[in-house]
Every structure is written in C-alpha cells, then in structure tokens.
Amino acid sequence: MRRNRHLKSLFALGIVALAATAALPDSATAQRPGGAFGGFANNPGVRLWDALDQRFEGFSQRLALSDEQANSAAVLVADFREANKSALGRYDRVRAQMRDRMGAARRGGGARRGAGAGNAQARQAMQEMRSLVDQLGPAFEVLHRDFSALLNEEQTETLRSLLQRQPRG
C-alpha cells in the first residue's frame, strides 16, 4: 500500500515535470520538432517573446540595437501584445502555474498532497498549453521573422546564439 502511494507520487511528479517542460522553454529538454507540443519549446519565436517581454532593455543591449531598431522593436512588441492579448494572458497564467507546481514539487509538497487532484490539474494545464500552441505558435514565428528583419547580419547571428537552447548540466 505504501509503495503504491510512492508510485502515485512519482507519477504525479512526472506529470508536473512534463507539463513544466513544455511550458518553460528555458528549462525544457530538447524535443524533436513535431513532438508532443509541436516543437513549441524549441520555437525561437517563443524564446524571443520571453526575452522581449521580460527583459527588453537588456536583450536590446546584448543585440546592440540602434535607437531606431529599438524603437521599431518596441512597436513590434506592443503590436504583438495587443494582437494576441487574450492568448498571451492565458500563456502567462499557465506558465506561472507550471512554475509554481515545479517549485512545490522540488520542495517536496506538491506531488505528495492529493496526487489525484494534481494529476487532473496537470492534465488540464497540458491541454490548455496544447491549445495555446495551436493558437500562438504561428504568431510567435511571425514575431521572430519580423524582429529578425530589423537586424543586420551580425545582430542576426547574436540573436541566433541568444535564442539557442542551453544544455543543462
């Protein structure tokens, strides 16, 4: 009986980890394109959005954007945010939930308490993330294309290296 409870806890932790992997591009392990989330975690547009949305100024400096490029990028970000307002709100909410669950699981509290409820919540979050993949995936790709068009060749190479997945280790 006790062993069965431990297995349920491990299963719940695995579900939470899988959901967080799909939702958190920076911490996800590499997936082949077209994987469970259609390569969402590997989408450079997702990585670009996270950088532009959360740390625009520092990201702009690392790319050495001119004032004109930075202004154009700011307009691009504002337009993207407005055009995808509802889906981005859901994206931020689901991503925050995934981070909270992973934090609770690391502290040892999330997977043990009510594993059945945790599994249902994880499945619901994964379904919502799949919906977001369908809805935002193409928009993230357009964002990446439009932002890249603002850059010169050297900045494009810098962008490519900034958006590459960093192996954990």
Side-chain angles (χ1 to χ4, degrees):
M1 185 91 159
R2 187 174 179 92
R3 182 176 183 206
N4 199 15
R5 235 178 46 208
H6 289 294
L7 289 175
K8 285 182 181 179
S9 294
L10 282 174
F11 180 77
L13 183 60
I15 294 292
V16 170
L18 178 63
T21 298
L24 302 172
D26 291 334
S27 68
T29 57
Q31 292 180 5
R32 60 181 167 76
F37 292 97
F40 188 65
N42 289 325
N43 185 327
V46 173
R47 292 177 178 286
L48 176 62
W49 171 249
D50 288 341
L52 293 174
D53 184 46
Q54 297 171 12
R55 44 189 195 280
F56 181 82
E57 186 141 336
F59 194 71
S60 297
Q61 288 174 349
R62 290 185 74 185
L63 286 171
L65 296 181
S66 68
D67 289 342
E68 183 180 329
Q69 287 174 313
N71 290 337
S72 295
V75 169
L76 186 66
V77 168
D79 290 348
F80 180 82
R81 186 177 284 123
E82 185 60 34
N84 298 289
K85 191 178 212 171
S86 176
L88 287 173
R90 288 175 44 218
Y91 172 78
D92 290 341
R93 182 177 47 80
V94 170
R95 192 172 62 174
Q97 288 172 350
M98 299 289 185
R99 283 186 179 153
D100 289 347
R101 285 190 188 115
M102 283 305 295
R106 282 189 203 118
R107 290 187 301 274
R112 280 188 229 140
R113 281 188 242 132
N119 289 341
Q121 290 173 342
R123 280 192 301 273
Q124 182 181 4
M126 289 175 70
Q127 287 173 335
E128 189 166 0
M129 188 54 72
R130 282 187 190 106
S131 171
L132 288 168
V133 168
D134 292 341
Q135 187 174 358
L136 283 172
F140 282 134
E141 291 173 14
V142 169
L143 174 68
H144 184 262
R145 182 197 67 213
D146 292 350
F147 184 83
S148 295
L150 300 173
L151 307 177
N152 64 35
E153 196 172 312
E154 184 178 325
Q155 291 168 324
T156 301
E157 286 302 314
T158 302
L159 176 67
R160 190 173 292 124
S161 69
L162 290 173
L163 298 180
Q164 278 184 344
R165 298 186 55 79
Q166 299 299 319
R168 290 198 160 247

